[in-house]
Amino acid sequence: LENSNPKQLAAEQAVAYIQDGMTVGLGTGSTAYWAIQQIGKNVHSGLQIKAVATSIQSEKLAAELGIPLIPFSEVKEINVTIDGADEVDGAWNLIKGGGGALLREKIIASSSKELIIVVDESKVVDQLGKFHLPVEVVKFGYELTRHKLSMLGCEPNLRMEDQRPYTTDNGNYILDCDFKQISRPGECHDAINSIPGVVDNGLFIAMAAKVIVGYKDGSVKELQK
Ligand code: DER
């Protein structure tokens, strides 16, 4: 038996929900990585699916594994999307975007009949906000956007990579916003997205249909609401 780790355990339990004929959304990050790996194995063993990816990174991995990718023009309906999260609260609201893919993830999640979130136990929290909330903003006037975000009561930090501002697959910047804690995630989500220059943010409100958690002791559990 492979030395499965909590993220791999959760991911593989989620993949068991994928049936022949489905269109599947492929998430992004180190947990979704294991789901894509397992889907690749299942496709190799005959699973009949089509897939769309939530990032260039996941698209490349899927292609390497021989998972059939389709263009969005051919997507009728996405049956299930499997994706990770940086935080999950008791109402299954999420913070996502640690991997910089929040915009494509939310577009695909919002077009999916079912979003299955796969995490290890460290992501399950009582209150969102310890993880700095990623906000995707257009480059133009981002300093003004950053100021407006700070007026909501957070400390927005431009995400850097190799001493330069990080740029998403969509050519935008990410501001990681330290709210310390987010007590009303729905209101916070709406306030952020009403700021001109904001493309979207990493709060996923009431979008998760299932949450599967892998634990250090080797157990895995599908949370019940
Ligand atoms: O960037 C993202 O939205 C990822 O899904 C992130 O939220 C989880 O990444 P991880 O599975 O590598 O912790």
Side-chain angles (χ1 to χ4, degrees):
L1 199 67
E2 280 162 63
N3 68 323
S4 53
N5 67 45
K7 291 185 172 184
Q8 185 178 3
L9 282 171
E12 290 175 359
Q13 179 146 320
V15 169
Y17 282 104
I18 297 175
Q19 309 291 325
D20 275 344
M22 283 189 172
T23 298
V24 180
L26 305 176
T28 296
S30 62
T31 312
Y33 167 87
W34 291 111
I36 296 172
Q37 288 290 345
Q38 186 59 50
I39 291 168
K41 287 179 184 162
N42 294 359
V43 164
H44 192 66
S45 308
L47 177 69
Q48 301 287 324
I49 56 145
K50 295 184 181 312
V52 288
T54 56
S55 63
I56 293 169
Q57 178 189 50
S58 293
E59 198 174 298
K60 284 182 179 157
L61 177 60
E64 276 163 28
L65 295 169
I67 297 171
L69 292 162
I70 53 170
F72 285 99
S73 53
E74 286 176 28
V75 174
K76 307 264 175 308
E77 151 184 271
I78 301 168
N79 301 89
V80 60
T81 290
I82 299 174
D83 205 350
D86 298 296
E87 286 185 342
V88 186
D89 73 5
W92 297 2
N93 294 318
L94 316 172
I95 287 187
K96 285 175 59 51
L102 68 102
L103 178 60
R104 296 191 181 192
E105 289 173 336
K106 200 181 279 187
I107 291 169
I108 287 179
S110 65
S111 300
S112 302
K113 278 176 67 181
E114 194 167 68
L115 173 64
I116 302 180
I117 294 299
V118 288
V119 293
D120 67 25
E121 59 192 295
S122 71
K123 310 298 189 66
V124 181
V125 300
D126 290 331
Q127 188 159 73
L128 300 176
K130 185 162 177 287
F131 188 90
H132 296 182
L133 177 63
V135 179
E136 183 154 346
V137 300
V138 297
K139 290 182 181 177
F140 176 83
Y142 85 90
E143 295 91 342
L144 298 174
T145 310
R146 181 175 57 192
H147 175 66
K148 293 189 184 76
L149 274 167
S150 69
M151 302 302 282
L152 296 181
C154 71
E155 165 71 41
N157 299 298
L158 181 63
R159 186 178 298 187
M160 303 296 281
E161 185 176 60
D162 306 329
Q163 285 84 42
R164 278 193 301 275
Y166 170 85
T167 304
T168 67
D169 287 349
N170 319 299
N172 300 316
Y173 284 160
I174 287 195
L175 296 173
D176 290 301
C177 298
D178 182 3
F179 279 93
K180 300 282 184 264
Q181 62 180 24
I182 300 174
S183 47
R184 288 189 294 278
E187 290 172 28
C188 184
H189 170 277
D190 296 346
I192 291 171
N193 278 8
S194 64
I195 296 173
V198 169
V199 180
D200 210 331
N201 71 81
L203 285 166
F204 283 48
I205 304 301
M207 295 183 78
K210 289 183 172 50
V211 176
I212 301 178
V213 184
Y215 296 86
K216 285 197 293 283
D217 66 6
S219 66
V220 55
K221 192 166 67 171
E222 187 171 324
L223 299 188
Q224 303 303 321
K225 259 200 177 151

